[in-house]
Amino acid sequence: MAVLEGAVFAILLTCLLFIIRLYIVVKTGPNYKPGTKGPVAVLVVAGSGGHTTEILRLMESLSAAYSPRHYVIADTDTMSEEKICTFESSKQRLDSESQFTICRIPRSREVHQSWGSSVLSTLDALRYSLPLVFRLRPDMVLCNGPGTCVPLCVAGLLLGILGMKKVLLVYVESICRVQTLSLTGKILYPISDYFFVQWSSLRDKYPKSIFLGRIV
Amino acid sequence: MSVFVLLQTLKTDSFSRAAMKTVFVTVGTTSFDELIESVTSPETVQALKARGYERLVLQVGRGSLLPAADSCPHVRLQAYRFKDSIAEDIKQADLVISHAGAGSCLEALGAGKFLLVVVNDKLMNNHQLEMARQLHMDSHLLYCTCSTLTQTLRTMDLSVLQPFLPGQPKNFANFLDKALGVQ
């Protein structure tokens, strides 16, 4: 009986510690300034179609201090890879030291996929996201909405909770969201360190969000 | 002889193309057969002709319709599924007719083109409509459905449209540099 009680107590304690760590990691995000120590390693989550175009426009504006850049794309997506390679080769002409890689993971949610199976496939995607993020150890994850963001951000958060490395989560809500957040946005709003929206109507609804006008 | 004739036709073709008022229709990565069907219907082609448009370029994406070049007798028609970049087609167009996709809308508006968005009302609760609707309210584009396309083309007034200023990714970069302490 005492063993069982002990086990329950241990589990509860772990959960409590986990929650406290989660709280600390999320709260102290803005104090973390990886840029003061040198180049900022970025994990960029590219989605399909419009998401990739938008995120590349953001990447274009970032200086060479954001390096290396690891792009994550869904394994069913061929168009994004081409766009990324075209973009990076044009960037490379400007700064010769720039580095990038492209990593593929299974798509966690196809458009029109049901909620139930989305949860399952997201969990499945976590199996690939965790080792990837643990291996790359980026300073920040930049994403803008494709379902693939969620497991990658969770993996980044976990690095912080375990005290291995603080990973800043930067989320930019797609410009096509005017009145409501996307599902990914709703999930990532509480855990992201910098949450950008591009329409004032969203800023009014979500006080933690950052509104700088249209940025793509 | 054949090479000479071919060169000759190419020459006249590119010459007349430059002078012809062009409409570019794009559905992005989706399929939107209803739009392709509507825009190539005799009534719509007539409405386009009445406005002086003589050339129609269609990007049909994953749709099942890929109209042949000779399927519309009164306009010069060209149709394809995908290209790496539709920037050139947008640049050459005098009017862009697009699905409500954010990427397509932004690309056309970013290039400073008149834009008519055709909403796919078969797609219920399509969040992409939000942006097209907002941009319509801000007078950056015109907005219709397939069933009202012909009527819209007949009556639209392009002079009411306001120019669309590009987004400022630099603001994002500056904010992030400051927040992350990047020198």
Side-chain angles (χ1 to χ4, degrees):
Chain A
M1 203 57 199
V3 178
L4 193 68
E5 269 173 26
V8 169
F9 182 72
I11 290 169
L12 284 177
L13 193 70
T14 316
C15 287
L16 187 70
L17 276 173
F18 189 86
I19 291 166
I20 292 171
R21 277 297 300 168
L22 175 68
Y23 181 80
I24 293 171
V25 165
V26 172
K27 277 288 160 200
T28 56
N31 304 333
Y32 180 61
K33 297 187 183 300
T36 52
K37 290 181 219 127
V40 180
V42 191
L43 187 88
V44 188
V45 190
S48 54
H51 286 302
T52 309
T53 313
E54 281 191 28
I55 208 127
L56 287 182
R57 241 183 266 198
L58 294 174
M59 290 309 292
E60 207 174 353
S61 70
L62 295 180
S63 69
Y66 296 83
S67 173
R69 297 174 293 281
H70 305 287
Y71 294 90
V72 183
I73 57 176
D75 52 6
T76 51
D77 186 357
T78 51
M79 283 174 99
S80 291
E81 183 166 3
E82 276 177 33
K83 281 187 192 168
I84 292 164
C85 289
T86 314
F87 162 72
E88 279 290 340
S89 56
S90 68
K91 199 179 172 81
Q92 227 135 34
R93 259 178 264 135
L94 299 172
D95 37 85
S96 53
E97 283 165 41
S98 76
Q99 316 163 24
F100 79 102
T101 64
I102 292 181
C103 324
R104 299 176 163 278
I105 62 166
R107 181 175 283 231
S108 70
R109 184 172 178 269
E110 292 289 348
V111 177
H112 305 311
Q113 196 181 330
S114 78
W115 271 71
S117 74
S118 291
V119 171
L120 280 181
S121 53
T122 302
L123 282 176
D124 189 52
L126 204 54
R127 287 195 300 142
Y128 299 87
S129 309
L130 278 173
L132 184 72
V133 175
F134 276 54
R135 179 167 58 84
L136 296 173
R137 297 200 175 206
D139 294 304
M140 66 178 256
V141 175
L142 174 63
C143 58
N144 71 341
T148 322
C149 300
V150 177
L152 289 162
C153 286
V154 169
L157 194 64
L158 209 57
L159 269 180
I161 289 172
L162 296 175
M164 293 163 76
K165 179 163 179 46
K166 169 67 194 174
V167 181
L168 287 171
L169 306 182
V170 181
Y171 182 82
V172 180
E173 185 58 284
S174 169
I175 192 160
C176 60
R177 287 299 178 159
V178 181
Q179 296 294 341
T180 57
L181 290 183
S182 63
L183 178 58
T184 311
K186 280 178 193 150
I187 295 170
L188 295 181
Y189 179 70
I191 61 168
S192 57
D193 298 289
Y194 300 99
F195 191 95
F196 294 87
V197 294
Q198 305 195 59
W199 294 95
S200 56
S201 40
L202 277 181
R203 183 224 9 224
D204 298 342
K205 282 181 201 161
Y206 295 91
K208 200 190 98 174
S209 62
I210 304 158
F211 173 67
L212 307 169
R214 265 190 294 119
I215 53 176
V216 298
Chain B
M1 162 263 175
S2 57
V3 176
F4 178 72
V5 172
L6 192 71
L7 274 174
Q8 203 69 359
T9 25
L10 272 177
K11 233 177 172 176
T12 44
D13 195 52
S14 57
F15 175 73
S16 52
R17 213 177 262 183
M20 280 177 145
K21 266 183 90 179
T22 301
V23 176
F24 178 52
V25 181
T26 176
V27 307
T29 51
T30 67
S31 68
F32 195 178
D33 285 341
E34 204 189 347
L35 171 60
I36 302 303
E37 204 177 323
S38 310
V39 87
T40 51
S41 72
E43 305 85 63
T44 308
V45 169
Q46 203 167 25
L48 288 172
K49 284 287 277 185
R51 286 199 164 255
Y53 298 111
E54 297 173 291
R55 189 166 156 256
L56 195 54
V57 180
L58 311 173
Q59 184 263 315
V60 304
R62 289 190 281 118
S64 57
L65 286 176
L66 185 65
D70 54 1
S71 58
C72 281
H74 304 293
V75 287
R76 188 177 289 227
L77 185 121
Q78 184 191 336
Y80 63 89
R81 289 196 179 278
F82 294 106
K83 273 186 195 172
D84 283 349
S85 165
I86 56 167
E88 191 53 37
D89 287 311
I90 288 181
K91 205 175 129 197
Q92 284 183 10
D94 300 279
L95 171 70
V96 177
I97 298 178
S98 164
H99 74 130
S104 308
C105 290
L106 292 172
E107 199 166 354
L109 291 177
K113 297 295 171 176
F114 291 127
L115 175 63
L116 170 59
V117 164
V118 182
V119 172
N120 191 351
D121 45 14
K122 300 262 155 61
L123 282 180
M124 281 307 172
N125 199 12
N126 181 354
H127 72 80
Q128 300 235 338
L129 297 187
E130 268 185 28
M131 194 192 68
R133 201 174 287 146
Q134 183 68 43
L135 290 171
H136 173 58
M137 288 197 307
D138 297 345
S139 297
H140 294 304
L141 53 83
L142 298 173
Y143 190 79
C144 70
T145 61
C146 286
S147 51
T148 58
L149 176 63
T150 314
Q151 191 54 35
T152 307
L153 285 170
R154 280 191 197 125
T155 57
M156 66 185 181
D157 178 7
L158 294 175
S159 66
V160 301
L161 293 180
Q162 299 292 319
F164 180 79
L165 301 171
Q168 299 294 325
K170 204 66 214 153
N171 290 346
F172 166 76
N174 291 343
F175 184 97
L176 215 57
D177 281 354
K178 218 168 159 189
L180 269 57
V182 172
Q183 271 99 35

